Amino acid sequence: MAETKTLTFTHKEVVEALIKQQDIHEGIWQLYVEFGIAGANISTGEDQLSPSAIVPINKIGLHRVDKENPLAIDASIVNPQ
């Protein structure tokens, strides 16, 4: 059997894991992603440059919200006291 090299997670699975890792037991928490932006000239072939945008992910975290949505879950359900 081939070795697994990649594991993927849904947004809600990431939120649940972060809630448990931070030992949060109450509130509705949503996935938070902070992006940066930079510009550069990128080679697109021999003797070719293209002005390009680079969008790194600077931070991933949780943001408390008032109601559940496709990116949010209730900590009291997934990580009860």
Side-chain angles (χ1 to χ4, degrees), residues 42-72:
I42 306 270
S43 174
T44 57
E46 193 172 311
D47 296 327
Q48 292 183 346
L49 287 176
S50 293
S52 302
I54 301 163
V55 184
I57 297 172
N58 290 336
K59 296 178 184 178
I60 298 173
L62 296 171
H63 176 76
R64 196 168 186 164
V65 294
D66 294 329
K67 62 181 183 175
E68 285 192 56
N69 63 61
L71 300 176

Side-chain angles (χ1 to χ4, degrees), residues 4-5 11 14-15 22 39 41 48 58 68 73 76 79-80:
T4 301
K5 294 184 179 182
H11 295 120
V14 172
V15 173
Q22 289 297 305
N41 293 321
Q48 292 183 346
N58 290 336
E68 285 192 56
I73 54 179
S76 67
N79 195 32

Side-chain angles (χ1 to χ4, degrees), residues 11-47:
H11 295 120
K12 285 193 172 191
E13 288 172 330
V14 172
V15 173
E16 181 176 343
L18 291 173
I19 285 171
K20 290 177 178 178
Q21 192 272 333
Q22 289 297 305
D23 204 26
I24 299 170
H25 301 289
E26 61 181 43
I28 299 171
W29 295 86
Q30 174 176 289
L31 184 64
Y32 170 85
V33 180
E34 182 178 296
F35 296 96
I37 190 157
N41 293 321
I42 306 270
S43 174
T44 57
E46 193 172 311
D47 296 327

